[in-house]
Amino acid sequence: IFIQLAAAKGLGLETLWSGLFALLAASFLLPSLVLALTPLVEGIFGYASDLKLLELANLNHPALKELVLNAPGTYHHSIVMGSLVESAAEAIGANPLLARSCAYYHDIGKGRNAAYFGENQKGENAHDKLAPSMSAVIIKRHVTEGLEMAREYKLPQRVADAIPEHHGTRLVGFFFHKAQKELEGREDLKPLDEALFRYPGPKPQSRETALVMIADACEAASRSMPDPTTEKLRALVQKMINLIFSEGQLDECELTLKDLHLMGDSFTSTLEGIYHARPQYPAGAIGGGKPPERDVMKPLSVVK
């Protein structure tokens, strides 16, 4: 209508009809066209729209269902990671929905060999019978298998990128140091080939995958902390950030020092909420202060 008025055509019937059709097209036709073409654009260009990310964030996704069945410990770790990176992404102005989706799917490859990862082990450790170099190869394989699953489930490229990038080119530290211990005092053996214990990369290319890398290290380290107080958690998070930064793993993403500071505060706050202190309940308080009327382990008698 403004265009018609600027052309000095006045508010005639033709102008009003043109305005009405423009309103209908902008209100109904264009949104419908965008919704219809969005899956096609995502498939061709690997783009992840917010609609697609919301779909991936649904815990009923087949890839996550497979993960919870085969590797429940890894599944729980991924859900906790989702909370960590979503809050941190909001703090630094990254995409929270993309960060959460990356966290959910970053370790899906572990479901193929769940018994070789600590969070899924119950008593027996499958690595006890293996050489450290072989253990490192099995651990690194979850990246390759994760990328295969990403293609199988047609994950968007930006989400699939988190699978290799959240490890970057870091060492499989536990088994590298184990191998070093075995070589101590044995001059007849060749020195360690560090490449056997190092992930192939690439380093994080986006702020979201860098968040996943740091959150992964913080969450894993906090699990082994005997008394996770706020001060200890803050020191742990800062230590992990400094370590990853000093290794050069953040050189190829756009994180600033301010981002790292905000990220550390966010991770500490979220971990503090996860590991919050609980009061020690006395035995009588569990039943409301009343003694149990019967043995809770015995089944109820059938009333005739």
Side-chain angles (χ1 to χ4, degrees):
I1 289 175
F2 282 123
I3 291 173
Q4 296 290 342
L5 290 175
K9 292 187 177 180
L11 282 174
L13 189 61
E14 180 182 352
T15 300
L16 294 177
W17 275 112
S18 298
L20 177 61
F21 280 113
L23 175 64
L24 292 175
S27 301
F28 301 101
L29 182 60
L30 186 59
S32 302
L33 188 62
V34 168
L35 286 175
L37 292 179
T38 295
L40 180 63
V41 173
E42 288 176 341
I44 294 175
F45 300 103
Y47 178 74
S49 66
D50 284 350
L51 289 174
K52 183 65 175 179
L53 293 175
L54 283 171
E55 178 186 337
L56 293 175
N58 186 343
L59 299 181
N60 288 320
H61 191 280
L64 296 179
K65 279 188 167 183
E66 180 180 342
L67 186 64
V68 73
L69 287 174
N70 297 331
T74 300
Y75 174 83
H76 179 263
H77 160 74
S78 300
I79 299 305
V80 173
M81 286 269 297
S83 300
L84 283 169
V85 299
E86 185 174 28
S87 299
E90 291 176 354
I92 67 173
N95 187 333
L97 197 53
L98 175 60
R100 178 152 60 102
S101 298
C102 288
Y104 282 175
Y105 296 89
H106 77 288
D107 268 345
I108 55 174
K110 289 184 177 180
R112 299 288 168 91
N113 281 303
Y116 288 93
F117 298 92
E119 65 267 25
N120 303 306
Q121 293 172 349
K122 297 179 180 179
E124 184 179 355
N125 189 342
H127 291 284
D128 291 341
K129 301 176 182 179
L130 299 176
S133 58
M134 180 56 67
S135 294
V137 169
I138 294 174
I139 294 297
K140 291 192 297 180
R141 191 186 299 164
H142 84 274
V143 172
T144 306
E145 292 174 341
L147 289 173
E148 291 176 359
M149 292 179 67
R151 288 189 290 269
E152 177 184 339
Y153 287 106
K154 296 180 172 59
L155 297 184
Q157 189 60 46
R158 295 187 70 187
V159 176
D161 285 343
I163 296 173
E165 290 179 16
H166 86 277
H167 284 301
T169 57
R170 304 193 73 199
L171 282 170
V172 185
F174 180 87
F175 293 108
F176 180 72
H177 292 295
K178 182 180 179 181
Q180 283 184 320
K181 284 286 186 182
E182 292 182 358
L183 285 179
E184 286 182 359
R186 300 190 61 181
E187 299 179 357
D188 56 318
L189 298 178
K190 296 181 180 179
L192 282 179
D193 182 4
E194 193 175 287
L196 291 175
F197 297 87
R198 193 172 288 280
Y199 286 98
K203 296 177 181 179
Q205 304 294 304
S206 66
R207 294 193 293 173
E208 289 79 12
T209 55
L211 281 171
V212 176
M213 170 184 275
I214 298 173
D216 189 36
C218 293
E219 199 277 338
S222 66
R223 284 174 178 267
S224 59
M225 184 176 290
D227 183 23
T229 62
T230 301
E231 293 75 17
K232 289 183 178 179
L233 288 172
R234 181 176 290 108
L236 174 67
V237 169
Q238 194 59 51
K239 177 183 176 182
M240 292 296 111
I241 292 176
N242 292 341
L243 178 62
I244 291 172
F245 178 79
S246 64
E247 290 177 355
Q249 298 297 323
L250 306 179
D251 291 350
E252 299 177 14
C253 61
E254 298 179 354
L255 284 176
T256 64
L257 292 176
K258 180 181 179 181
D259 290 338
L260 295 177
H261 176 72
L262 294 173
M263 188 190 310
D265 289 343
S266 176
F267 284 161
T268 302
S269 177
T270 305
L271 288 172
E272 184 182 11
I274 294 171
Y275 297 108
H276 63 278
R278 292 180 180 271
Q280 185 69 33
Y281 285 91
I286 297 177
K290 298 179 180 179
E293 297 179 359
R294 64 179 184 85
D295 189 350
V296 295
M297 297 302 293
K298 294 182 179 179
L300 289 170
S301 59
V302 178
V303 179
K304 295 185 180 179

